[in-house]
Amino acid sequence: MKKKPLIIAHRGACGYLPEQTLEGTALACAMGADCIELDALLTRDDRAIVFHDHYLDSMTDVAVLFPGRARSDGRHYAIDFTLEEIRQLSLRGRVNPATGRPVHPGRFPDSPALRFRIPTLEEELALIRGLNRSMGLNIGIYLEPKGPAYHRSEGKAVEDVVLGIFREFGYTTRDSGCYIQSFEPASIRYMRESLQCDLIMVQLIGDNSWEETPGVDYTGMMTPDGMDEVSRFADRIGAWMNHIAVDPGDGGQPRVTKLVEWVHERNMEINPFTLRADDLPAYAKSFDDLLELFLVRIGVDGIFTDFPDLAVDYLAREGVW
């Protein structure tokens, strides 16, 4: 029987609560997710906070509380603020900075009666450890130290800080339920070789058009030779879902690539990102259709999703695992 795929709660249960909040993490754990996906950035005083963007504008009231602190591009960067200042911010659902409108209109609404905040990595790990104990769970951590090259250009090493915190919480070995992911191969090599990290390492594959990591050729990665190279330093692949099932955009059937096949041939596992019930590709009539395509027909080893409950329910109903 095929191994049960991992249900990775992308930034917590962010289909229902603001992303990467302690509340969203608790909900994802209660929903039965196997892992909680988190992102870590450093503050000016070298504290690791759990937040996705380098800048704070799209999800907080930073411009109101700290006028005049934007850089020349008009953005407020997390790395320019101390943890004490970060704690003053209120966190909301993601909005488009150009329009001020929610990116996902049907999700948890902003309300003056509620205040969410940006947590530290230590707070997130303590919460997950506590819930694992009190609920008898074994929830894993799937973390990305955001933009290592960017942090290094600012004089900081985000990997060193993050791995130091993981050591404090006992995440040191491959069987400790902790995965480290990065879009930057150099960062994975640095953690594996220079920092002697034995955690499971995941190479993320974005798209060259995103300019996610200047100088990294994701197209070249997605070849047999590219996978040979990646397999020398990484244990898993996290790939944009459109690299696995290409959406023609007209409602027609997707073109399934050979990426999953190439990954499996090298005895690695692959998890696509990000499956969303409120942002379906044109070829999927429902979220169940999307789950069936990736989990059953293509046979990926896990998925990143904003809606972990729907994926957990699907696996239970499918009854294959």
Side-chain angles (χ1 to χ4, degrees), residues 33-110:
D34 297 301
C35 294
I36 308 297
E37 194 262 353
L38 304 169
D39 302 283
L41 300 168
L42 296 186
T43 62
R44 193 173 73 191
D45 48 350
D46 294 317
R47 295 296 301 276
I49 58 171
V50 175
F51 198 71
H52 178 269
D53 300 356
H54 291 302
Y55 35 85
L56 301 163
D57 308 84
S58 297
M59 293 190 61
T60 77
D61 55 354
V62 64
V64 175
L65 292 184
F66 295 99
R69 293 282 296 276
R71 292 193 180 186
S72 58
D73 61 1
R75 295 284 179 84
H76 296 78
Y77 284 74
I79 207 166
D80 294 333
F81 293 80
T82 65
L83 179 60
E84 182 181 358
E85 291 171 328
I86 292 288
R87 289 195 186 280
Q88 298 176 46
L89 302 177
S90 292
L91 187 64
R92 61 172 181 254
R94 183 175 294 277
V95 301
N96 184 326
T99 65
R101 295 177 181 173
V103 173
H104 299 285
R107 297 192 180 185
F108 198 90
D110 191 20

Side-chain angles (χ1 to χ4, degrees), residues 3 64 84 99 125 131 134 170 179 194-195 197 255 279 303:
K3 185 170 70 171
V64 175
E84 182 181 358
T99 65
L125 297 184
L131 289 174
S134 64
Y179 306 79
S194 298
L195 300 183
C197 179
R255 177 177 63 83
D279 188 14
I303 58 166

Side-chain angles (χ1 to χ4, degrees), residues 33-314:
D34 297 301
C35 294
I36 308 297
E37 194 262 353
L38 304 169
D39 302 283
L41 300 168
L42 296 186
T43 62
R44 193 173 73 191
D45 48 350
D46 294 317
R47 295 296 301 276
I49 58 171
V50 175
F51 198 71
H52 178 269
D53 300 356
H54 291 302
Y55 35 85
L56 301 163
D57 308 84
S58 297
M59 293 190 61
T60 77
D61 55 354
V62 64
V64 175
L65 292 184
F66 295 99
R69 293 282 296 276
R71 292 193 180 186
S72 58
D73 61 1
R75 295 284 179 84
H76 296 78
Y77 284 74
I79 207 166
D80 294 333
F81 293 80
T82 65
L83 179 60
E84 182 181 358
E85 291 171 328
I86 292 288
R87 289 195 186 280
Q88 298 176 46
L89 302 177
S90 292
L91 187 64
R92 61 172 181 254
R94 183 175 294 277
V95 301
N96 184 326
T99 65
R101 295 177 181 173
V103 173
H104 299 285
R107 297 192 180 185
F108 198 90
D110 191 20
S111 170
L114 284 172
R115 183 176 183 266
F116 298 99
R117 65 181 182 86
I118 298 173
T120 64
L121 179 56
E122 292 95 332
E123 288 169 338
E124 285 275 9
L125 297 184
L127 175 63
I128 294 168
R129 181 170 65 182
L131 289 174
N132 277 339
R133 178 174 176 176
S134 64
M135 298 180 69
L137 303 173
N138 188 28
I139 307 294
I141 311 291
Y142 223 107
L143 184 127
E144 180 187 355
K146 291 297 292 185
Y150 160 76
H151 275 88
R152 202 153 272 114
S153 73
E154 298 281 339
K156 298 181 183 295
V158 65
E159 305 103 322
D160 298 59
V161 175
V162 164
L163 293 184
I165 294 170
F166 278 144
R167 284 193 295 272
E168 292 173 11
F169 279 80
Y171 293 109
T172 57
T173 61
R174 288 173 177 265
D175 60 357
S176 59
C178 184
Y179 306 79
I180 301 290
Q181 57 182 349
S182 180
F183 284 100
E184 302 180 24
S187 178
I188 295 177
R189 290 183 183 275
Y190 171 69
M191 289 185 282
R192 181 77 84 204
E193 298 166 8
S194 298
L195 300 183
Q196 296 293 297
C197 179
D198 193 39
L199 298 175
I200 295 173
M201 295 288 174
V202 184
Q203 175 63 56
L204 296 174
I205 300 180
D207 193 75
N208 288 357
S209 66
W210 299 350
E211 298 182 351
E212 180 74 34
T213 308
V216 177
D217 179 16
Y218 297 116
T219 301
M221 265 185 204
M222 294 183 291
T223 64
D225 286 346
M227 280 296 106
D228 283 342
E229 176 61 24
V230 171
S231 69
R232 294 186 178 99
F233 58 84
D235 306 293
R236 284 176 175 249
I237 299 295
W240 181 35
M241 57 188 285
N242 205 47
H243 288 324
I244 296 171
V246 181
D247 186 358
D250 57 6
Q253 289 298 303
R255 177 177 63 83
V256 177
T257 71
K258 292 194 173 187
L259 182 57
V260 172
E261 178 184 333
W262 290 335
V263 170
H264 286 166
E265 284 174 352
R266 285 147 185 85
N267 296 314
M268 294 192 294
E269 298 187 1
I270 183 167
N271 308 315
F273 60 85
T274 303
L275 279 66
R276 297 181 171 99
D278 56 359
D279 188 14
L280 295 172
Y283 58 75
K285 295 182 176 63
S286 68
F287 194 54
D288 274 6
D289 279 352
L290 192 62
L291 294 171
E292 194 271 339
L293 171 66
F294 279 93
L295 295 175
V296 179
R297 289 168 51 193
I298 297 176
V300 299
D301 305 287
I303 58 166
F304 293 85
T305 179
D306 295 0
F307 299 86
D309 60 325
L310 301 183
V312 170
D313 289 348
Y314 174 82

